[in-house]
Amino acid sequence: LSSSQIDIGLQVLDRQLLDRNGRRCGKVDDVAIEGGAGGAPEVVAILVGPGYWPQRAGLIGKLAGWIGGGRRVRVDWSDVRKIDSAVELKREATELGLGRGDDRLRPYVDKIPGAGR
Amino acid sequence: VSKVLGLALGILAAIGGFVDIGDLVFNVSAGATFGYQLMWVIPIGVVGIIVYSEMCGRVAAVSGKAVFDAIRERLGFAPALGALVASEVVNLMTLAAEIGGVAIALQLLSGLPYRWLIVLAIVGLAVIIWTTSFDWLERIFGYGGLCLLVFAVAAVKLAPDWGKVGNGLLPHLPQNNKLLYAYFVIGLLGAALTPYEVYFYSSGGIEDRWSPKDIGLNRANAIIGYGLGGFLSFALMISGAALFLGHGISPEHLGTIALGAENPLGRIGLLFALVGILFAVGGASIDTVFSGAYNLAQFCGWEWGRYRQPHGAPRFTLTWLVLLVLALAIVSTGVDPVMLTEYAVIFSVVALPLTYIPILLVANDRTYMGRYRNRRLANGFGLLYLVVIMVVALTAVPLMLLTNVGQD
């Protein structure tokens, strides 16, 4: 594999996502590929959220995805800035609909003194 | 100078943080049951934890990846989900056992009722974690755990037959009770190699903001810290052997373990032992509760870490709070912490390969480890220990059943 090539299975799938500020905002739970047989397959999006877990692990994945709330977020491949030890994105997590669980819980955590806001 | 001081302080904390309730129970019981015959297992366990801690600490410093990132990335989603469930169950059992240990140590120190002290222990830990920064958490509990060195003094004062101690360092089989002996071998290795130690160690490296500059610090911490921590295991086993062997006493209570220091050194010895046990199991409670939260957050890709503050990592924060409440529920059923410890150690052994194989794989990844990837020495030891771990993982549960959890 030359440095200009990437291995989607090894270097993208199941990797940490970082937004433009370095915030951890999910994992690459799956990738959307278009084209395929006969033409050149192309990765068009990164799929994030427990809603994509059933297609990764059958019944157990379904159960885990249901417990996790089943949210699905699609991030366009054009929003990927860099693939390093993590997958880095060009925009902020909130703009892309990522990291919402943390954002929703934050106001409650902040009510406890010493939450470090 | 401050660099050397920092190094020394870190190492001291690692020594104090090495021993947890699993090490206390298995080392003293092994001494009480087989004398010095199992001494040889201790260095095998210690070298194993050094090899894999050094590796996952290096991966954390170079790539910013913690162990569960590596597990998910290298095993894929479904096996990683299995590893997550297994690790959370074992972590919770261990956490409950450690917290039970905190309550017992508090009870022996204060004389107050155990039930109240469980609640006090949980609330106390939650408040301490909430108000204390990561490096101070490491220091407070690490230094407090150094009180366990009283067992080294006690071991010398008990004047064991050093010839027999030396013989025990050579691997050998006993004449009878071979199954129970094998069960203790597995338990001692399991207690030394518990998966939560590498979860905590690697995530801790990221909490401490390690970078490739800290590779040397990582190596020193792992080798000297855990190496000298293993020295405490020797002391515990010797005190168990010198005091209890042949008297039909097996330390089924943490208080019995403290007798190992009281007998030769009197009340002051007892006090040091109990304070040491309190800080050791208290620190291990924090390691395990954080490990549970690290693993879930890393599996899901959430923001995590004490360094992010609760504001910066709400789901991570909620997770460790929930784990403390679940542990409270478990300990409140009145389950015996020492028994729980044995189960936790044996089950954790089964999950070991799922944790250690991915560490070995990412430590060899050229693409982001570059010149810091594993060399021949680390890979040689890594592979050797993988074999040990596989054998241990496959035999742990059968041996537990055959020996009736070491009761036969």
Side-chain angles (χ1 to χ4, degrees), chain A residues 85-104:
Chain A
S85 73
V87 173
E88 297 171 23
L89 302 171
K90 286 179 188 163
R91 296 202 274 160
E92 277 184 31
T94 39
E95 290 176 54
L96 295 163
L98 297 172
R100 234 180 39 162
D102 276 335
D103 291 339
R104 279 183 166 179

Side-chain angles (χ1 to χ4, degrees), chain B residues 57-267:
Chain B
R58 180 156 36 88
V59 169
V62 174
S63 73
K65 262 186 229 298
V67 169
F68 235 85
D69 291 317
I71 291 178
R72 179 148 176 204
E73 183 181 313
R74 286 304 165 128
L75 297 184
F77 183 86
L81 181 59
L84 177 71
V85 173
S87 76
E88 292 296 341
V89 170
V90 172
N91 254 327
L92 186 58
M93 282 168 75
T94 314
L95 172 63
E98 311 279 1
I99 284 172
V102 171
I104 292 174
L106 287 173
Q107 184 190 26
L108 292 169
L109 284 165
S110 71
L112 294 168
Y114 179 65
R115 286 189 152 275
W116 296 6
L117 291 168
I118 298 169
V119 180
L120 182 73
I122 299 265
V123 174
L125 283 169
V127 171
I128 290 170
I129 295 174
W130 192 277
T131 54
T132 311
S133 67
F134 187 83
D135 42 346
W136 276 105
L137 285 174
E138 274 185 318
R139 282 180 211 154
I140 292 169
F141 288 93
Y143 300 160
L146 285 175
C147 290
L148 288 177
L149 286 170
V150 71
F151 281 101
V153 182
V156 173
K157 255 208 138 177
L158 282 165
D161 181 338
W162 292 106
K164 278 189 179 170
V165 174
N167 281 336
L169 283 168
L170 302 170
H172 62 279
L173 278 173
Q175 283 85 17
N176 43 31
N177 250 339
K178 289 197 173 64
L179 272 183
L180 188 61
Y181 187 81
Y183 171 77
F184 271 109
V185 172
I186 302 290
L188 288 168
L189 288 176
L193 293 166
T194 21
Y196 86 77
E197 289 181 48
V198 285
Y199 303 142
F200 185 76
Y201 190 86
S202 71
S203 300
I206 293 166
E207 293 261 22
D208 285 332
R209 296 180 187 81
W210 280 359
S211 70
K213 281 201 312 283
D214 298 303
I215 295 282
L217 174 74
N218 168 50
R219 192 171 300 153
N221 260 350
I223 296 177
I224 309 175
Y226 282 151
L228 291 179
F231 173 72
L232 280 177
S233 298
F234 280 129
L236 288 166
M237 196 182 283
I238 291 173
S239 76
L243 211 57
F244 304 127
L245 181 68
H247 295 286
I249 301 170
S250 67
E252 273 152 15
H253 193 269
L254 276 182
T256 322
I257 292 172
L259 287 181
E262 188 191 22
N263 186 286
L265 300 169
R267 285 194 69 84

Side-chain angles (χ1 to χ4, degrees), chain A residues 9-11 13-17 22-30 53-54 56-57 60-61 64 84-86 99-103 105-106 109-110 112-117, chain B residues 63-65 68-70 72-78 81 130 206 297-318 321 365 367-368:
Chain A
L10 197 59
Q11 286 172 272
L13 201 58
D14 292 312
R15 289 260 171 139
Q16 180 70 50
L17 285 169
R23 174 179 167 192
R24 298 183 183 104
C25 54
K27 292 266 168 169
V28 181
D29 289 311
D30 210 341
W53 292 357
R56 298 295 307 282
I60 309 282
D84 199 351
S85 73
R100 234 180 39 162
D102 276 335
D103 291 339
L105 199 57
R106 185 168 293 111
V109 170
D110 282 347
I112 309 173
R117 21 184 277 168
Chain B
S63 73
K65 262 186 229 298
F68 235 85
D69 291 317
R72 179 148 176 204
E73 183 181 313
R74 286 304 165 128
L75 297 184
F77 183 86
L81 181 59
W130 192 277
I206 293 166
Q298 287 158 12
F299 180 86
C300 297
W302 302 340
E303 194 51 88
W304 58 265
R306 180 67 188 85
Y307 75 114
R308 290 286 197 219
Q309 300 290 348
H311 174 78
R315 282 183 287 196
F316 169 80
T317 305
L318 184 70
L321 282 167
D365 193 316
T367 55
Y368 52 80

